[in-house]
Every structure is written in C-alpha cells, then in structure tokens.
Amino acid sequence: TDPELRVDRRALRACVPGSRVLVVGASRGAADDLARSVAAAVPATFGIERLSLTQAAARTALPALAARQTAPSTRLGAEAVAARAVFDARQASALRYFGPVADTPGFPRALARTLQELRLAGIAGRALSPLPLAGPDLAWLLERFDACFAEATSVDRAELFRTAARVMTVGYDMVLLLDVP
C-alpha cells in the first residue's frame, strides 16, 4: 500500500469521533475510498466530509462569486467559450498558426484545455505574444477567452480556484489533502 495513504489513514483514525474533518481528494471517489477504508477499521467515523478539489473550491468561492454577480462555468462552458473565441478570431482573420486547424471538430476542446492550463498557471496573453509559431494566436485567443467570460459574467476554473484561495477560512479540526495536484 502507498506510504502516503497509510499516513492519511493514521491521521484520520487518530481523530476523535465527531471531529470536523474535511478530506479533499483529486476526485470525490478517492476521498470516499479513504473514508470507507478508515470506517471499516474504526468504530465511529462521523464528522468526515469528503469533497473533490473542485467541489471544495466551488463551495468556498460561491458566496464571493455571487456577491460579484458572477457564476462558475463548467468544462463544457469553457469549451463553448473557446469555440466562440475561435469564431471571433476567424472573423477577425487573427489566426495564422492555428488557421488551418481552427475549424476541425476537436479544436475548441483542445484549445479550452490549453487556455485553462495557461490561466491556472497565471500566464497572461501579453506574455505569449512574443513566442514563435503559436504565441500570437494563443495570446489573441486567451484574451478573447477572458473577455467572453467577463461578458457572460462567468468565471472559469482558474478564477474559481483563485477566488476560493482568497476567501478560504478553515472551519475544520483537520483538512486532509489527498493526492491533490
């Protein structure tokens, strides 16, 4: 068994029953699996809450987003915004490098993933512009991606995480991060 998982199990077993414990996993299933394995070995395990990283971020960020009158988007929403950015770029004849593949069926999905990774890393469009080959196209698309979210009063995954990090308060006796990237 994984040594880190053994440490996680030991930490959960050491908690007094009824302690407020939050297990945040890379997926909800991973958090559930850990809680089940501890529950099988300990007589009382109530008080353990399990969430995926995205669920924890959403739960934390939603009140702050609502106060700004914005809502989080989904993966499918990000793909739709990427498709809109591509459409706008094609209309403006702004794509050089991606021009030949911009109309292919999988391009918006791949672009959405790429733009999300750039946003999660905190990379702005202006940093991409000087890069050879795809840099100017990515810069244009990333700026349009951001503008589309702003117009829709919605936020992507990166802004959801940033908002959650800004407003997070810990109301638990223990927060266990389980294999969170």
Side-chain angles (χ1 to χ4, degrees):
T1 179
D2 184 0
E4 292 170 7
L5 200 50
R6 281 196 302 260
V7 170
D8 295 337
R9 282 191 191 109
R10 257 186 302 214
L12 279 179
R13 285 186 197 129
C15 289
V16 175
S19 297
R20 292 208 57 216
V21 177
L22 174 61
V23 177
V24 178
S27 69
R28 171 68 190 267
D32 288 345
D33 288 347
L34 175 65
R36 272 193 296 276
S37 72
V38 169
V42 176
T45 56
F46 60 93
I48 299 174
E49 189 173 349
R50 299 139 355 259
L51 298 170
S52 72
L53 181 60
T54 302
Q55 287 173 324
R59 182 176 289 181
T60 302
L62 280 177
L65 292 174
R68 291 179 4 208
Q69 297 184 344
T70 59
S73 182
T74 62
R75 178 186 55 80
L76 188 57
E79 288 177 21
V81 169
R84 177 61 197 210
V86 170
F87 175 81
D88 291 347
R90 303 272 303 160
Q91 293 294 102
S93 300
L95 299 180
R96 303 286 178 257
Y97 183 79
F98 290 127
V101 296
D103 288 332
T104 60
F107 186 72
R109 176 176 286 169
L111 178 65
R113 278 194 232 129
T114 299
L115 296 178
Q116 288 285 317
E117 289 295 325
L118 290 168
R119 297 256 309 119
L120 285 166
I123 298 172
R126 66 184 172 279
L128 297 169
S129 289
L131 298 176
L133 302 177
D137 284 9
L138 280 174
W140 200 99
L141 290 164
L142 181 58
E143 287 174 14
R144 188 65 197 128
F145 188 73
D146 290 344
C148 286
F149 271 111
E151 290 165 13
T153 61
S154 186
V155 297
D156 67 344
R157 184 178 170 91
E159 184 56 28
L160 175 74
F161 286 144
R162 277 199 256 320
T163 302
R166 262 194 315 275
V167 301
M168 178 169 242
T169 58
V170 179
Y172 295 93
D173 299 315
M174 178 195 306
V175 176
L176 194 145
L177 300 176
L178 176 65
D179 201 23
V180 174

